[in-house]
Amino acid sequence: MLRTTLAGLLAHKTRLLLTSLAITLGVGFIAGTFVLTDTIEQGFRQLFTADADKVAVAVTPKEKEITEAVLKKIRALPGVADAQGLVQGSAPLLDRSGRAAGSVATSGIAIVKGPLDRTNYVSGRAPAGGSEAVLDENTAKTRQFAVGDTITVLDLAEKRRQFTLVGIVDVGVDQSLAYTGAVGFDTATALEMTGVKSYREIDVAAAPGVTPETLKKTASEALGKAYTIRTGDELAQKLALDSNVELDYLVLVLLLFGFVAMFVAALVIYNTFNILVAQRTREMALLRCIGATRGQVFRSILLESAVVGLVSSALGLLAGLGLGAVALNALASFDAPVPVGADVTLTPRTIVLGLVVGLLVTVGSAVLPARGATRVAPIAALRSQVEEQSFRAGLTRSIIAGLLLAGGLGLTAVAIWVLDGDVGLLTAMAGGAVFFLGVIAIGPMLMGPLAAFAGWAPRRLFGVPGRLAVDNSRRNPKRAATTTVALTIGVTLMTLISVITASTRETVTGSLDEQFPVDFMITAQHGRADGMPTLSPDVPGKLRALPEVGLVAEMRQDPSGEIASLPDGAAFRPKVVSGSLADLTTGTVALSESQAGNLGSARVGGTVPLTTTEAGKVEVKVVAILSDDSVTGTMPYTVGVADFEKYFGPVGPVRVYVKAADGIAADVSRRAVEAALTAYPTAQLVSAADVRGEFDDAFDMMFTIFAGLLGLAILISLLGIANTLSLSVHERTRESALLRALGLTRPQLRGMLSIEALVLGLIGALIGIVIGVAFGWAALQTIPNETVFVVPVLQVLLYLVLSALAGVLAAVLPARRAANASIVGSLASS
Amino acid sequence: MVASIALLTMTMTTDVRAAVVARGLTKVYGQGDAAVRALRGIDVSFATEAFTAIMGPSGSGKSTLMHCLAGLDTVSAGNVHIGDADITTLSDKQLTLLRRERIGFVFQAFNLLPTLTAEQNIRLPLEIAGRQADQVLMDRVVETVGLRDRLSHKPSQLSGGQQQRVAVARALISKPQVIFADEPTGNLDSRSGAEVLAFLRRSVRELGQTIVMVTHDPQAASYADRVVFLRDGLLVSEVTGPTPQSVHDMLLKLEA
């Protein structure tokens, strides 16, 4: 029996080729995920280990900060050769136009001297003394600084300080430094520039003959329990562990897409084996005639699937290796802050996992078809004509489908109207998945009506080939359903993402228009201090003095971020739920809706306590409740401008909104504002268009990544369509020959198969679009904020057209084969 | 004696207006040592409005001859005229159009598209050609075939004999210059077979159709006006006005 199976497999290897490709791609994606993350992990380990060799013991703060005194104490310990403190604060670098570079201030770090220096120099050397500095490679590149240039950095008092650039360094995998950029000084200058009073970490080098363990013990005894003390090796392990937590998240997201791809592959395999079994009915029956048991027939099909699964999973592992390498190259070219230097390898875990997943999915998908094969009666060997597979909706199927559909809708309804937040979203998505399973179950019943619908135009446009094609597309509803559902998965997810992206984009830009009724917004650069960075209190006054500027509205808040002053200008009045802002005079407050809820009994007319910095605790009267729905951010408490200054003193604004004066073009006004801001290098000017552009970029980027990851699942489903068609073509060899004999031309026969694929593609896309839009709506309903629901009609129509075209593309090869077959030979074939 | 009569009739039939004429028809499969000469220079013509049967033992080349005559297969040498067209010079596209317009087919099995009803199957060649069915002819054909109450049935709901009658009706509906039938009764029981054959003969007599039928069954061949015999790729004999017995005798003689 084994030999028969293997011989059969070899004889039909082309039939299984596309199936194998589906598994290879799925396994390749999963393996690629692990190759990528394993390599990054390995890279981290290598980096940290290399660092650990230089450091004998590292001291980090736990209960107490590490002060200069602690450093001195450590230096004095026996067995210590050297100890250096690591400093990291903010030191805003100015770009060539004299503005602070980036929306977050550059980090200022200390470059230590001696054997404890872990810096990687790209060029130049370490800074020495108060007039030298180094820059990280990326910042130097984007801001166009080279070794020998003079750079300007703001000190604590925002005064410009000039340094000679003596080196370019690589910050490696430090995420925060990669994000902010880094300017490095010697330790004393770093402390002075950043104003930092304590060290993040002290690295200790051991004297000759002293082991790190001994040194750790010495340090622990001297410093007590207020600090964490690790040996270099322990430090490396901890850092590697931290980086793995972030990697685990990446693995999870990628595997989710891998799961979708494997699910689609499973459908393709299930369909292929079903068709193969149907086609080999006579072969099976013959085996049964000559004495094979049901069990043997069952096992032979499973064995066949196991061989296919194993071979294609092995190929998938190789594909994964390639994919991993490609992804690493892509990361490297984007300067992503991950180590990409380690060798790409397949770990034993990846190999085992890839093979097991590939094998399980393949064999699992073949179980039902194999069971079908055992039902072939031996007498079938004697029947000349293969029976048409008819489909009747069974009661069991109807019940299961009904339960799944109702369950999915129920879960989603609960998610929309009962739950909210992340739980709601997850429940809605789970509901969507259950509903989708219901659609798979009910699929064969949908095929007839949908084929009639999708085939309406082709029937009328393409004459006889069109009509025959539409008939063929619904000839075997079960097969058609499985084929199209594979494509439906991809289209559903694409539509879902499109709807959510478009709706969120619309919501954000809509609220930008509503609550950014200005030309520019000025904010302070982040990074200098904790909390919201503030602008100089002089900025609003300077701007009001400009003739090019109309309205200037400043937003101020207390250090805790709870109490705001009411911005000037009618354009910035938040929505009032009850009471009136006109009553916001001395000794009064307006509450946000949610804060009013938190306080329980707070009503207009009641009093609430406020904690202030200048006036201590005050009791204020509530005069209004404000809507939470505001992008400018409704603070829990809003007080009048005069009261705010009385409570908190002359605090600088966190934001200033500016409108161009009437009759002045926005760009003219912008130039005037920019000129006025020269004295405030950390003030950042953005326009509504800039903000919208940033949002757009972020949305586009997210969408592109998702689309790219889903592309694999869609590709596999297209393989499925090609596979089903080529197997159908094989099954209908004599039919095609008959049509050719009756006068159907080759192009007409090719056209007929293309139209059949087009109809299948359209059906798959139609179902996908309907479900995608519906569950996109459901997902949006679970988001607590008011979200606009937008269907990107053009984009969705594009999916419809692309699916139809993709179907036609998948039909190219099968159609060619059918059209080029000799009529006489095909008529004779059985 | 038989040979001289045969020669005489052949000369006579070429004088009658012929629907299909083959000259020096040769078909070789494979190359070199493996070459098989299936047809070795056949000259034959088939008269219009006549029912001709092609007979011969297995491997004599009768199916190959039919495929070549009908333009389903290419020829190695010689030519075939259907009406005024030399089909050996036509491209695949032209051949397809010629089949569509001038030739009808009835095969041994798998004649009908399973997705179409009997009526749709009958109309199929016309629709492929983009022509309207002649309703009078349609009615007459349906009446003659005796399938009026079966027209809306799918092939799977018809018996083998009924399926073959639908196939014959389909071949008739486009009024082709010639109908090629390849063992049309090969899969039928004798009663259904007799029905189909009688119907083929009636369509020649009453509708003036030209039919060329390949068969190995003397009983079937006896329905024809004329039987031509093949052996080893050569036309060796023929009988006009055949009876089952005369055909049977001729076959025995050829196989001897």
Side-chain angles (χ1 to χ4, degrees), chain A residues 104-469:
Chain A
V104 178
T106 324
S107 296
I109 56 172
I111 306 283
V112 302
K113 290 196 183 60
L116 287 171
D117 184 5
R118 297 194 233 150
T119 317
N120 285 320
Y121 294 94
V122 178
S123 63
R125 55 173 175 83
S131 64
E132 289 185 353
V134 296
L135 267 184
D136 75 281
E137 191 180 9
N138 211 14
T139 308
K141 199 155 72 186
T142 51
R143 305 294 167 190
Q144 295 172 340
F145 288 116
V147 172
D149 288 356
T150 300
I151 59 170
T152 310
V153 184
L154 296 180
D155 67 8
L156 259 189
E158 306 242 317
K159 265 176 61 187
R160 291 174 171 78
R161 294 266 303 264
Q162 310 242 309
F163 296 88
T164 307
L165 192 60
V166 297
I168 306 290
V169 302
D170 179 4
V171 294
V173 298
D174 188 314
Q175 308 274 345
S176 74
L177 289 188
Y179 175 61
T180 61
V183 50
F185 312 97
D186 67 9
T187 309
T189 314
L191 287 171
E192 182 197 342
M193 290 296 291
T194 59
V196 169
K197 299 280 184 293
S198 60
Y199 296 106
R200 295 171 68 204
E201 179 181 321
I202 288 178
D203 292 345
V204 186
V210 180
T211 66
E213 285 71 25
T214 320
L215 203 55
K216 179 183 171 184
K217 211 168 149 230
T218 320
S220 302
E221 280 160 8
L223 298 173
K225 296 209 161 148
Y227 307 96
T228 308
I229 300 166
R230 293 188 180 90
T231 63
D233 289 339
E234 286 166 354
L235 180 70
Q237 272 168 24
K238 190 214 168 243
L239 291 174
L241 219 62
D242 290 351
S243 66
N244 284 358
V245 173
E246 282 168 37
L247 276 180
D248 285 349
Y249 185 68
L250 178 69
V251 170
L252 195 71
V253 171
L254 288 177
L255 283 187
L256 218 59
F257 285 95
F259 172 77
V260 172
M262 278 316 274
F263 186 68
V264 173
L267 284 173
V268 170
I269 297 159
Y270 166 77
N271 221 16
T272 309
F273 274 95
N274 247 341
I275 299 172
L276 287 183
V277 165
Q279 286 178 355
R280 289 191 307 195
T281 303
R282 279 166 81 175
E283 194 182 311
M284 303 287 163
L286 189 64
L287 284 174
R288 297 271 285 122
C289 273
I290 58 174
T293 63
R294 280 175 196 272
Q296 280 174 314
V297 169
F298 183 75
R299 282 194 297 275
S300 86
I301 305 262
L302 281 200
L303 180 67
E304 184 170 335
S305 69
V307 173
V308 171
L310 210 60
V311 171
S312 22
S313 305
L315 289 175
L317 289 177
L318 290 181
L321 207 56
L323 273 177
V326 167
L328 279 170
N329 268 327
L331 285 178
S333 68
F334 285 124
D335 282 325
V338 289
V340 291
D343 288 336
V344 191
T345 44
L346 281 172
T347 61
R349 179 196 57 171
T350 311
I351 294 175
V352 170
L353 204 80
L355 290 181
V356 166
V357 167
L359 203 59
L360 280 183
V361 168
T362 318
V363 176
S365 310
V367 165
L368 282 179
R371 222 166 61 96
T374 62
R375 299 215 187 100
V376 174
I379 190 71
L382 308 175
R383 286 189 203 128
S384 58
Q385 197 135 356
V386 181
E387 272 177 66
E388 275 293 295
Q389 291 222 325
S390 61
F391 173 79
R392 236 177 273 120
L395 187 64
T396 331
R397 180 183 284 271
S398 306
I399 291 174
I400 292 176
L403 284 178
L404 286 171
L405 292 176
L409 287 179
L411 265 181
T412 313
V414 168
I416 296 176
W417 285 291
V418 181
L419 308 167
D420 54 25
D422 284 350
V423 180
L425 185 63
L426 287 178
T427 313
M429 293 297 104
V434 173
F435 185 83
F436 202 92
L437 290 179
V439 171
I440 294 180
I442 206 179
M445 303 177 218
L446 296 175
M447 284 304 126
L450 280 175
F453 178 70
W456 188 85
R459 244 175 197 288
R460 276 150 192 81
L461 283 176
F462 301 111
V464 179
R467 280 191 3 233
L468 292 174

Side-chain angles (χ1 to χ4, degrees), chain B residues 101-154:
Chain B
E101 300 292 335
R102 300 200 195 168
I103 303 178
F105 287 100
V106 181
F107 297 109
Q108 179 176 359
F110 208 83
N111 260 305
L112 308 176
L113 286 194
T115 49
L116 302 183
T117 63
E119 181 171 8
Q120 287 170 330
N121 263 297
I122 294 175
R123 288 180 189 273
L124 186 61
L126 290 175
E127 287 180 352
I128 290 176
R131 285 195 278 154
Q132 279 299 313
D134 175 345
Q135 197 52 51
V136 179
L137 181 64
M138 181 75 188
D139 285 341
R140 200 162 158 208
V141 166
V142 168
E143 213 52 60
T144 326
V145 192
L147 284 172
R148 188 158 291 286
D149 56 337
R150 298 271 172 201
L151 283 180
S152 59
H153 287 49
K154 291 271 173 75

Side-chain angles (χ1 to χ4, degrees), chain A residues 385 464 467-468 471 475 734-735 738 740-746 748 823-824 827, chain B residues 67 72-73 92 96 99-100 105 107 110-116 124 127-128 170:
Chain A
Q385 197 135 356
V464 179
R467 280 191 3 233
L468 292 174
D471 284 344
R475 188 161 163 180
R734 289 207 295 185
E735 223 172 293
L738 177 67
R740 290 272 290 128
L742 292 181
L744 208 66
T745 61
R746 268 170 214 226
Q748 280 179 315
I823 302 176
V824 175
L827 280 172
Chain B
H67 291 150
L72 292 175
D73 209 348
D92 178 74
T96 306
R99 281 201 301 272
R100 193 190 265 187
F105 287 100
F107 297 109
F110 208 83
N111 260 305
L112 308 176
L113 286 194
T115 49
L116 302 183
L124 186 61
E127 287 180 352
I128 290 176
R170 180 192 60 204

Side-chain angles (χ1 to χ4, degrees), chain A residues 782-794:
Chain A
T782 62
I783 298 170
N785 296 342
E786 231 172 88
T787 317
V788 194
F789 171 63
V790 182
V791 178
V793 177
L794 277 181

Side-chain angles (χ1 to χ4, degrees), chain A residues 54-135:
Chain A
K54 291 184 182 168
V55 179
V57 165
V59 180
T60 47
K62 194 159 74 186
E63 287 155 23
K64 288 189 198 159
E65 299 203 316
I66 304 178
T67 56
E68 191 67 32
V70 177
L71 179 59
K72 286 207 173 99
K73 199 168 168 186
I74 292 174
R75 279 187 177 144
L77 289 176
V80 171
D82 189 16
Q84 293 285 348
L86 301 189
V87 177
Q88 186 173 341
S90 77
L93 171 77
L94 300 192
D95 62 18
R96 287 190 171 272
S97 66
R99 315 273 333 150
S103 61
V104 178
T106 324
S107 296
I109 56 172
I111 306 283
V112 302
K113 290 196 183 60
L116 287 171
D117 184 5
R118 297 194 233 150
T119 317
N120 285 320
Y121 294 94
V122 178
S123 63
R125 55 173 175 83
S131 64
E132 289 185 353
V134 296
L135 267 184

